[in-house]
Amino acid sequence: KSIVYVTGELIISVKATDEISGGEKTFFSIDGQPFKQYQTPVVLSEEKEYRLKYYSVDHVGNVEPVEMKTIVFDKSNPKSKVSFLGDQFESTISGRSSIELVSEDAGIGVSRIIYLIDGVKKTYTSVIKAANFSLGEHTMLFFSEDFLGNVEDTQKIEFYIDKTPPKIIQEITGKSFFANGREFSSGRSQLKLATFDNKSGVKEVFYSINGQKYSKYEKPVFLNSASGNITIKTYAIDNVGNKSQDSDSESQTARVPFIDLSGPSLKHSFSGPFYQTRDSSFINEKTKIILTGIDPEAGMKSIEYTIDGKELLVYDK
């Protein structure tokens, strides 16, 4: 049994020879049908695999052994498809990703796949690494060819290679105060993280305060869980897996204002006639009430007081 692959137009003609009395008749059968005498070339149009059997008889009745051939009529083009392996978001891939081309042919098989990226033509042999191409937009053309020369229509895809990690801008919102060349902030202050990415977009943002476990950033974070100098570390990941980092760690590090969570320490004293008994203090109209306060961190701003629930006043003397 032998297999013959044919493309274009399939015409079967049979010629018998005999060195002595000469061939008289030839018979053929296609796909198991009854044998019939061959008269004129047989034209086959359906794209499929045919099983041909044939034999000849000479003028004195000698019969040739039946010959058989398998004929594959292949006039279809191969079909290719492209896949992105690794990080992908829509038509954007990372520099760690690869491009895979696969082609199928229903007949004799694929001979080769040709691709062009940015006008450079090559024969596909293995996955195409995005790392070998520059950041930005790229255009790829590709097609495949079978062993009979049937050529696929050229396909085209456009994609973007994103090798740039997101950027993070840290902002401390809320009231702050400068004293002695130092910035102080209250426990009502919040950490706000603004992020942006050049192409695929930011997927997730994480932060760590004073070396604690990283948490996912969803909204501004109150800085009321720690006091003193606070170190904030952050990093962001875009939709193709690019991760922001600096030279020292996998995060961006920043120092924020000194967080002052403690109020001032207050006390009072009397100047002039004064008598204390149990929980009561006795003074006269000449006695002065002195209010003092101290704050070792951000410092005192003001002291306010009220007498018998009346109007709140600022203490200045």
Side-chain angles (χ1 to χ4, degrees):
K1 177 183 178 181
S2 60
I3 301 178
V4 177
Y5 291 88
V6 180
T7 189
E9 186 179 22
L10 177 55
I11 301 174
I12 300 175
S13 61
V14 182
K15 181 179 180 180
T17 60
D18 186 86
E19 295 181 355
I20 303 178
S21 63
E24 181 183 13
K25 297 178 181 179
T26 299
F27 298 87
F28 72 97
S29 167
I30 296 177
D31 292 340
Q33 295 180 357
F35 280 92
K36 56 184 178 181
Q37 186 173 347
Y38 173 80
Q39 302 289 345
T40 58
V42 179
V43 178
L44 300 175
S45 59
E46 185 179 354
E47 187 177 14
K48 55 173 284 186
E49 178 179 297
Y50 294 93
R51 291 177 293 119
L52 172 66
K53 295 181 180 179
Y54 57 93
Y55 67 92
S56 298
V57 181
D58 67 13
H59 288 281
V60 294
N62 294 314
V63 180
E64 174 189 14
V66 175
E67 297 283 345
M68 185 174 72
K69 286 186 181 297
T70 298
I71 302 173
V72 178
F73 188 24
D74 177 10
K75 59 181 180 180
S76 295
N77 300 328
K79 182 65 176 178
S80 301
K81 63 179 181 179
V82 63
S83 300
F84 294 114
L85 307 179
D87 305 308
Q88 177 189 4
F89 179 73
E90 297 176 347
S91 61
T92 301
I93 61 176
S94 77
R96 299 173 300 279
S97 301
S98 299
I99 305 170
E100 181 182 50
L101 293 174
V102 177
S103 183
E104 296 180 350
D105 186 67
I108 193 172
V110 177
S111 169
R112 60 177 182 165
I113 304 175
I114 303 296
Y115 71 93
L116 298 86
I117 297 182
D118 302 333
V120 180
K121 183 177 180 180
K122 292 184 178 181
T123 299
Y124 179 81
T125 56
S126 61
V127 293
I128 305 163
K129 296 185 179 298
N132 296 329
F133 297 89
S134 62
L135 168 75
E137 297 281 357
H138 297 273
T139 299
M140 176 175 173
L141 305 176
F142 62 96
F143 63 90
S144 56
E145 181 180 350
D146 69 13
F147 287 99
L148 292 172
N150 295 316
V151 180
E152 173 186 15
D153 292 336
T154 299
Q155 299 190 60
K156 175 183 177 181
I157 62 165
E158 295 178 342
F159 58 94
Y160 188 99
I161 298 178
D162 182 2
K163 300 180 180 181
T164 306
K167 293 188 179 296
I168 303 176
I169 298 176
Q170 299 181 4
E171 180 184 3
I172 305 300
T173 62
K175 195 171 184 180
S176 63
F177 171 72
F178 283 91
N180 298 322
R182 193 177 191 185
E183 185 179 8
F184 294 86
S185 180
S186 74
R188 295 183 298 276
S189 297
Q190 293 178 300
L191 168 66
K192 183 179 180 181
L193 300 179
T195 58
F196 60 94
D197 187 68
N198 66 317
K199 183 62 180 179
S200 65
V202 177
K203 181 181 180 182
E204 295 175 314
V205 182
F206 294 87
Y207 69 93
S208 169
I209 298 177
N210 287 348
Q212 295 180 353
K213 182 180 179 181
Y214 278 93
S215 300
K216 187 175 181 180
Y217 178 83
E218 302 284 359
K219 59 183 180 180
V221 180
F222 278 102
L223 299 174
N224 55 8
S225 60
S227 62
N229 289 317
I230 291 182
T231 298
I232 296 173
K233 294 184 177 182
T234 60
Y235 69 87
I237 303 173
D238 68 15
N239 283 303
V240 293
N242 294 317
K243 183 177 181 180
S244 64
Q245 60 183 9
D246 60 18
S247 58
D248 297 324
S249 64
E250 293 184 343
S251 64
Q252 297 176 5
T253 303
R255 289 194 172 274
V256 301
F258 188 97
I259 303 298
D260 182 3
L261 301 179
S262 301
S265 298
L266 300 176
K267 66 179 181 179
H268 68 277
S269 61
F270 299 101
S271 175
F274 162 70
Y275 174 70
Q276 180 75 38
T277 175
R278 296 183 183 178
D279 60 351
S280 298
S281 300
F282 295 87
I283 60 175
N284 67 18
E285 59 184 6
K286 295 181 180 180
T287 306
K288 294 181 179 180
I289 302 172
I290 301 172
L291 303 179
T292 59
I294 185 171
D295 188 283
E297 295 174 336
M300 283 283 297
K301 178 182 179 182
S302 65
I303 297 177
E304 297 177 345
Y305 70 95
T306 178
I307 297 177
D308 294 336
K310 295 180 181 179
E311 180 184 2
L312 191 66
L313 303 174
V314 176
Y315 175 81
D316 56 5
K317 62 181 179 178

